Amino acid sequence: MTTPIPQNFVQNIAKQLGVTDAELKTVFMALDGQSTATIAKKLGISDIAVRKRLGEVYKKFQIGGNGPGKLSELRHQLLFSYHAEQGASDFSPGGKGSFFKMPLLSEGVASVGAGFPSDRFANANGRRQQDWGQAPDVAVFYGRSEELTALNQWIVSDNCRLVALLGLAGSGKTTLSVQLAKQIQHEFDFVIWRSLRSTPTPSEFLDSLIQLFYNPKKPDVPLVAPSKKIDLNDKISRLIEHLRKQRCLLIVDDFEAVLKPEELAGHYREGCEGYRDLIVRLCEVNHHSCLVLVSSEEPAELALLAGEKVRSFKPAISSEIAREIFQEKGLSARDREWEILLSRYGGNLLALKIVATTINDFFDGNVVNFLEATALFIEEHISNLLAQQFDRMSNSEQEIVCWLAIAQSPISLATLREKMLVNSSLSDLLKNLDSLSRRSLIEKINNDGKETLFMLQPLIVQYVSERLVEQIRSEVLETVNTQGIERMHLLKTHNFIQSIAQQKAGKKASRSILESVKNRLQVLFLKTTGFEEPLNILTKIVSDLEGKSMLEVGYAKENLAQIIAEIQC
């Protein structure tokens, strides 16, 4: 049950903020749970007039945003102020001395435009508080000076409420956020680091944050007695009130853990939907703190919230950082070798660190020998990270990613639609491409203003190509064993054959996959049955497929014929 707030207490605060008698009478009725229609009828005014009065009250209490949450925000502002004046004994098991007493709203809430005096951010003992949680120790940091300057400007000078650091796993987001927090920590009264890797519920997450403000030295002390239940909306309001009273830098890493896999990007797992409400309110309501959200997947609502106070940033590919990583290992490379390395691994700094170690350990520090010996090298740890990323995609996204991996060069929307066996609507295709972009898996390229081209991140191309090779190999063996295509999937749905008229780059890309398939099949056939029997079976199947429609067999005939030709070369 909500704690009642005496009317004279509300009246005193409202008068300090310039609320008129008519507005006060209207807001009392709204706080009592009466609808705008009921209030309008009782006061003899229109619905519009009621909403206008309430809107004026929200402005005077500096409550922004849209929707029904504003009345709840007002209620909780009043509740916080009331308990602050009373010593807040209901909110802290330790009594008056165990938490930071909050000033009245008129003393402690300022608008973003007005600016906050520095003493408004001081906590109870005048010292800054930091809780770094499981933040990694960044002993060495390379480059990114321009990015750090821009982020510093956004957070400290522009007072952004939310800054999202987005990018593929291994791109350096977390390291960048740690370095950023170190550089600007003196600007904040609280610096709090949290990871969502263990997928805490929104309620648990908010409890852990709010407790830091009440009693940072005893984070396990409950906020309220077990018999008192506080809903999620209340907890978000409490957190926002703290973010107004103190200037806080909150870094939340691994945000993708609370997002739902196997669907389009950015939607929440069951039970985690409250994080959406948290983000929306932190972005819309006036406060002078900042949430830095670190994720390999962009929440869907960020695109709608983006603006002056909400911004996103993706760490760029940096040859400077790559060179420094190699120099630290005592490695050097020429410009051409750097081009190849960056084309294979893009801006994935984790992959480059592993590659540098591999060159040292197995190639005696010779970069050229490594590049010649390993056209496709993805270490197991990187492979696992990419597998997690791939498995989070919906089936339709995986379909598109496979086509882009086959092309291995930028292709247009029209070309992609033409190649896909199942012709999805343009709307669905655009939704899937947008989702892949929010996962940081694809890049968009402007083709001299003619049309937008799409391509995969280099490391994703390599990883998906490897998956394709292994799946094709398995399907060919299954086809030989069953002497039919009933269990075939990939060879039906994807065309691995490039016509002579197609671009040279496309032809080479597709043949590289089939050549890898051929190499694996040749090794296997040499060790087992030999070539004659499986080739005869495959040749017969291709013959049986003559005259079959595309709807029946897809690309099976063309793909099998090309594989036979590759093996016979």
Side-chain angles (χ1 to χ4, degrees):
M1 180 179 295
T2 304
T3 305
I5 309 171
Q7 283 196 1
N8 62 341
F9 175 81
V10 178
Q11 186 172 2
N12 288 337
I13 291 182
K15 289 300 181 183
Q16 291 178 44
L17 296 178
V19 177
T20 66
D21 289 340
E23 291 167 352
L24 186 60
K25 186 174 183 179
T26 305
V27 83
F28 273 141
M29 298 172 76
L31 289 169
D32 193 42
Q34 298 180 41
S35 67
T36 54
T38 301
I39 296 171
K41 185 175 181 181
K42 288 183 178 180
L43 296 180
I45 58 177
S46 67
D47 261 22
I48 294 175
V50 172
R51 295 179 191 278
K52 185 176 180 180
R53 287 184 185 181
L54 292 175
E56 289 300 315
V57 174
Y58 297 144
K59 286 180 184 178
K60 291 168 183 177
F61 276 85
Q62 297 164 1
I63 296 172
N66 299 302
K70 290 190 285 189
L71 182 62
S72 177
E73 176 68 20
L74 174 62
R75 180 180 289 110
H76 291 298
Q77 280 196 22
L78 294 168
L79 186 63
F80 264 87
S81 294
Y82 176 64
H83 281 286
E85 186 175 84
Q86 299 301 313
S89 58
D90 288 340
F91 282 82
S92 175
K96 295 183 181 180
S98 64
F99 74 107
F100 305 148
K101 184 174 180 179
M102 299 179 187
L104 293 178
L105 292 172
S106 58
E107 299 172 337
V109 179
S111 68
V112 172
F116 283 67
S118 59
D119 60 348
R120 293 273 173 89
F121 296 120
N123 59 30
N125 55 20
R127 293 195 299 270
R128 293 185 173 91
Q129 298 284 348
Q130 296 183 1
D131 185 335
W132 290 91
Q134 297 180 342
D137 180 22
V138 179
V140 180
F141 185 82
Y142 307 110
R144 302 274 191 218
S145 57
E146 292 183 6
E147 288 98 326
L148 286 167
T149 299
L151 290 168
N152 189 321
Q153 171 74 28
W154 291 2
I155 295 172
V156 177
S157 302
D158 298 346
N159 298 315
C160 283
R161 297 171 194 150
L162 185 146
V163 172
L165 297 183
L166 306 170
L168 197 62
S171 61
K173 307 181 301 297
T174 298
T175 302
L176 177 60
S177 66
V178 172
Q179 187 69 11
L180 172 67
K182 284 182 178 180
Q183 287 193 3
I184 63 176
Q185 58 184 313
H186 62 279
E187 300 285 347
F188 295 88
D189 299 303
F190 277 82
V191 176
I192 304 170
W193 180 284
R194 287 292 181 268
S195 168
L196 299 185
R197 189 174 301 172
S198 60
T199 324
T201 66
S203 184
E204 292 168 342
F205 176 69
L206 287 165
D207 284 344
S208 73
L209 294 181
I210 295 169
Q211 182 60 65
L212 285 173
F213 296 101
Y214 279 112
N215 195 349
K217 295 183 178 180
K218 297 181 179 179
D220 296 327
V221 176
L223 290 178
V224 295
S227 60
K228 297 189 179 216
K229 292 186 178 179
I230 304 177
D231 67 23
L232 191 67
N233 224 18
D234 295 343
K235 292 180 180 181
I236 295 174
S237 294
R238 288 190 183 194
L239 176 62
I240 289 173
E241 188 66 20
H242 288 301
L243 299 183
R244 284 172 167 154
K245 300 296 193 249
Q246 293 91 210
R247 193 175 192 192
C248 309
L249 177 65
L250 172 60
I251 305 102
V252 180
D253 198 7
D254 303 305
F255 193 82
E256 69 277 356
V258 301
L259 299 176
K260 188 181 293 185
E262 300 178 12
E263 291 189 9
L264 294 183
H267 301 286
Y268 291 84
R269 290 178 182 270
E270 185 176 352
C272 292
E273 297 88 350
Y275 283 105
R276 180 193 300 108
D277 300 330
L278 172 62
I279 286 178
V280 169
R281 290 185 60 186
L282 286 180
C283 291
E284 291 184 343
V285 175
N286 283 341
H287 59 82
H288 221 56
S289 297
C290 182
L291 166 63
V292 176
L293 190 154
V294 186
S295 181
S296 62
E297 187 174 320
E298 181 184 4
E301 64 273 12
L302 279 194
L304 299 176
L305 295 166
E308 182 185 354
K309 298 298 180 183
V310 180
R311 303 178 190 176
S312 298
F313 180 86
K314 290 186 179 182
I317 294 175
S318 172
S319 60
E320 174 193 357
I321 297 176
R323 289 174 188 268
E324 288 181 347
I325 289 172
F326 272 54
Q327 287 172 5
E328 186 188 16
K329 297 287 185 181
L331 302 174
S332 61
R334 291 171 296 189
D335 289 344
R336 175 55 185 158
E337 291 154 14
W338 280 119
E339 287 180 18
I340 297 172
L341 284 167
L342 293 175
S343 70
R344 290 187 186 179
Y345 302 103
N348 199 292
L349 303 182
L350 179 58
L352 288 168
K353 287 179 182 179
I354 292 172
V355 164
T357 300
T358 302
I359 293 172
N360 254 340
D361 293 347
F362 297 99
F363 294 87
D364 197 27
N366 192 307
V367 176
V368 174
N369 289 348
F370 168 80
L371 293 175
E372 290 177 349
T374 57
L376 192 70
F377 173 77
I378 304 178
E379 189 268 349
E380 184 178 1
H381 180 65
I382 295 293
S383 180
N384 290 337
L385 287 176
L386 296 174
Q388 292 172 18
Q389 200 94 344
F390 188 88
D391 292 340
R392 288 184 62 84
M393 289 187 279
S394 65
N395 290 335
S396 53
E397 287 176 290
Q398 290 183 5
E399 177 87 358
I400 293 172
V401 164
C402 287
W403 278 110
L404 293 174
I406 292 168
Q408 291 191 3
S409 57
I411 61 175
S412 67
L413 187 65
T415 303
L416 184 60
R417 288 193 76 193
E418 179 186 339
K419 286 178 175 292
M420 296 179 70
L421 183 63
V422 179
N423 232 344
S424 59
S425 69
L426 180 60
S427 174
D428 286 342
L429 186 55
L430 290 174
K431 286 178 184 177
N432 280 279
L433 288 169
D434 178 65
S435 180
L436 290 169
S437 179
R438 281 190 274 122
R439 297 185 194 277
S440 303
L441 294 174
I442 63 170
E443 297 177 357
K444 300 174 186 176
I445 302 170
N446 192 324
N447 187 20
D448 296 328
K450 298 176 183 176
E451 57 185 348
T452 301
L453 303 179
F454 300 90
M455 66 179 294
L456 291 176
Q457 292 272 1
L459 206 60
I460 295 295
V461 172
Q462 296 181 58
Y463 172 75
V464 175
S465 296
E466 181 67 17
R467 285 182 70 126
L468 291 173
V469 168
E470 184 54 33
Q471 189 171 341
I472 293 169
R473 185 194 71 87
S474 297
E475 288 190 10
V476 171
L477 293 178
E478 188 71 18
T479 301
V480 171
N481 291 333
T482 62
Q483 300 190 24
I485 64 168
E486 290 76 16
R487 300 181 186 179
M488 185 183 290
H489 173 68
L490 190 64
L491 289 170
K492 286 181 180 179
T493 57
H494 290 74
N495 182 8
F496 292 91
I497 313 305
Q498 300 284 344
S499 69
I500 297 174
Q502 286 176 310
Q503 295 179 356
K504 183 178 179 182
K507 182 176 180 182
K508 289 176 70 176
S510 194
R511 282 182 63 84
S512 69
I513 291 176
L514 292 184
E515 285 173 359
S516 297
V517 173
K518 174 197 72 173
N519 292 337
R520 297 190 186 187
L521 288 173
Q522 283 180 331
V523 171
L524 181 64
F525 291 157
L526 282 172
K527 289 181 178 179
T528 55
T529 61
F531 290 98
E532 185 177 353
E533 182 180 351
L535 284 177
N536 287 339
I537 293 172
L538 293 175
T539 301
K540 182 179 184 304
I541 291 172
V542 170
S543 177
D544 292 341
L545 295 177
E546 289 289 345
K548 301 277 187 179
S549 70
M550 182 69 76
L551 290 175
E552 289 181 89
V553 300
Y555 296 110
K557 181 174 72 70
E558 291 84 353
N559 285 325
L560 286 177
Q562 184 62 38
I563 290 170
I564 293 169
E566 290 285 342
I567 295 175
Q568 289 176 334
C569 284

